[in-house]
Amino acid sequence: MSLPVRPVVLGVAGGSGSGKSTVVRAVCRILGNGITSVLHHDSYYRDLARLPFEARAGVNFDHPDALETELMVEHLRTLLRGAAVEIPTYDFSTHTRARKTEILHPTPVVVVDGILVLADPRLRDTMDLKVFVDTEPDIRLLRRIRRDVVKRGRTADSVVAQYEATVRPMHLEFVAPSKRFA
């Protein structure tokens, strides 16, 4: 699908469990089918298959270095030129990329979603509109526990330990300061 004009890029950021996915789904529902495509930063976690599982589980996934943002930027620029891209699929239970990829076609609106999308100037510079979903930390933690226990097979204790060790410190260092760009 070739687009006659450059797509509008909407960046949606906020802390883990803030409600970004809910906002993105609402935008897609309101604009309708075929109007929006969503580029999830979570799809671009680096493949850690070379590491033993215990080492993979110990990686700080909330640090910008955990993500292959340069590939996401390349894919976003390709979409903006009107060409489709092959998006990686990330398996959160094994901390590896699946062999399967997903084809994403350009649309009039491209939504870029993730905790760190406003923290990276390469992504930020492509965005026409930037939204930061600001939610209280206790609500975000509760949502994260529910999600990770149900969808990712984790224990509540492991989610809380990860929150204390990496999620909260990285939120304070990288995510919260990016709010100023919204």
Side-chain angles (χ1 to χ4, degrees):
M1 169 184 189
S2 183
L3 301 174
V5 295
R6 179 192 176 277
V8 172
V9 179
L10 166 63
V12 180
S16 178
S18 63
K20 294 178 303 300
S21 296
T22 301
V23 169
V24 169
R25 280 191 302 274
V27 167
C28 293
R29 186 182 65 250
I30 290 165
L31 294 178
N33 287 340
I35 301 298
T36 58
S37 54
V38 182
L39 200 56
H40 298 283
H41 208 186
D42 283 357
S43 297
Y44 293 87
Y45 277 110
R46 296 186 187 280
D47 188 5
L48 302 175
R50 71 190 185 291
L51 300 175
F53 181 78
E54 295 75 27
R56 287 183 292 209
V59 167
N60 181 350
F61 293 100
D62 293 277
H63 191 281
D65 291 345
L67 295 143
E68 194 176 353
T69 302
E70 56 279 3
L71 179 60
M72 185 182 194
V73 169
E74 180 184 318
H75 284 171
L76 180 55
R77 289 178 180 156
T78 300
L79 286 169
L80 295 178
R81 288 192 306 270
V85 292
E86 227 176 310
I87 305 299
T89 301
Y90 196 77
D91 182 340
F92 289 94
S93 61
T94 63
H95 307 296
T96 60
R97 281 194 186 160
R99 290 188 185 272
K100 177 186 91 158
T101 59
E102 180 181 321
I103 302 297
L104 188 65
H105 296 279
T107 54
V109 177
V110 177
V111 180
V112 178
D113 159 56
I115 65 171
L116 294 165
V117 298
L118 295 183
D120 192 293
R122 298 167 299 175
L123 289 172
R124 212 173 42 241
D125 290 347
T126 66
M127 298 173 187
D128 301 295
L129 181 62
K130 302 166 193 87
V131 174
F132 189 93
V133 182
D134 201 5
T135 305
E136 293 297 323
D138 59 336
I139 301 299
R140 290 187 295 104
L141 175 58
L142 288 171
R143 289 176 179 169
R144 186 176 172 107
I145 291 169
R146 283 189 196 114
R147 180 199 67 198
D148 286 2
V149 167
V150 172
K151 294 184 179 174
R152 299 183 182 171
R154 309 237 344 256
T155 65
D157 286 344
S158 74
V159 177
V160 171
Q162 183 184 30
Y163 182 85
E164 291 174 334
T166 62
V167 176
R168 184 176 186 279
M170 296 301 100
H171 179 85
L172 295 173
E173 186 173 349
F174 297 107
V175 181
S178 75
K179 180 176 19 176
R180 73 180 183 268
F181 299 112

